[in-house]
Amino acid sequence: MVPTTSGRPRYVTYEKRDGVAVVTLNRPEKLNALSREVLEDLLEVLEAVSRDPEVRAVVIAGAGRGFCTGADVSEFTKDLREIGEFIDLGRRVFELLETMGKPVVAAVHGFALGGGFELALSCDLIVAAEGTQLGSPEINLGIVPGWGATQKLLATVGPYKTRELVLLGDRITAEEALRLGIVNRVVPVDRVLDEAVAVARRLAEKSPVALAAAKGIINRSLRTLTSAGLEIERSTFMEVASTEDAREGVRAFLEKRKPQWRGK
Ligand code: COA
């Protein structure tokens, strides 16, 4: 296990297996929800991984019963400035995944929801365990996605399925995500990490130069298509986060009750 330098409790672990770095979100008691500290650890580990010459490919997985259930909702009880900083921290993590020259494979199981779905969508390939629930449930908390789901989905599944996912906030299974082209393969849960590592090993055998170039073509082109939309998404997220409905939705989640929407 490679240590971090922060000295804080570690929420992300990192081990190397023959040229493949396996990065694991490790906050299982909260289903790996992304708090500020988790994002800081993830950023630190991904920066180390992207610099490490021994690492040719990366796998991201989650410890416990799910991959990741998105932003830690309690972050949205803070003031707007802190919420903006939190969103931008997440954007840095997701951008690093997309711009690092090394390929990244997500190994998802259990849940990949909200920012957890967006984390997977920032990886180059997604291997999912059978029965994994994926989706963008932010609407059920009175907020909207803020880390790229609207744009990635528009580019992947088109406006109608994007609306179904984002407006209804329903979860879909890995099997449906495979049909829609959002994940690459679905395997039994006990195989998901090995399968993701096997895919990463195949990638690690390619020319690092050509691989980084191919990844760059795809992600830079996608970014060209989505950059205006990503800014619309961020600014709209911040507007919505400042409403009473957002405060109520977040509070209701934390109090484990149904929200009462007031439309303002
Ligand atoms: N933020 C903060 N806490 C979260 C969380 C999140 N995104 N996702 C899960 N947790 C916490 C739960 O509050 C619970 O904490 P507690 O044990 O202190 O009460 C713990 O993780 C386990 O989750 P729980 O809800 O008890 O598990 P479950 O199997 O009953 O339900 C989910 C699983 C995924 C359906 C449910 O946790 C959920 O809806 N999470 C939020 C998903 C979401 O809306 N993400 C977008 C956030 S913007």
Side-chain angles (χ1 to χ4, degrees), residues 1-2 7 40 44 53 60 67 75 80 86 94 102 116 123 155 157 192 205 237 241 257:
M1 215 67 82
V2 181
E40 283 170 355
E44 182 183 327
I60 300 196
F67 174 68
E75 294 290 340
L80 264 190
F86 173 72
F94 297 142
K102 300 169 188 187
C123 298
V157 299
V192 68
E205 286 168 9
F237 178 91
R257 62 171 173 81

Side-chain angles (χ1 to χ4, degrees), residues 1 27-29 33 44 51 61 70 77 79 93-94 97-98 113 123 137-138 141 146 150 173 193 197 223 226 239 261:
M1 215 67 82
R27 196 189 179 207
E29 68 285 1
E44 182 183 327
R51 281 193 305 265
T77 59
D79 69 40
V93 171
F94 297 142
L97 287 168
E98 290 162 8
L113 298 173
C123 298
E138 289 87 346
L141 279 80
T150 61
T173 61
L193 185 59
V197 171
R223 180 57 67 148
T226 58
E239 282 166 27
W261 306 127

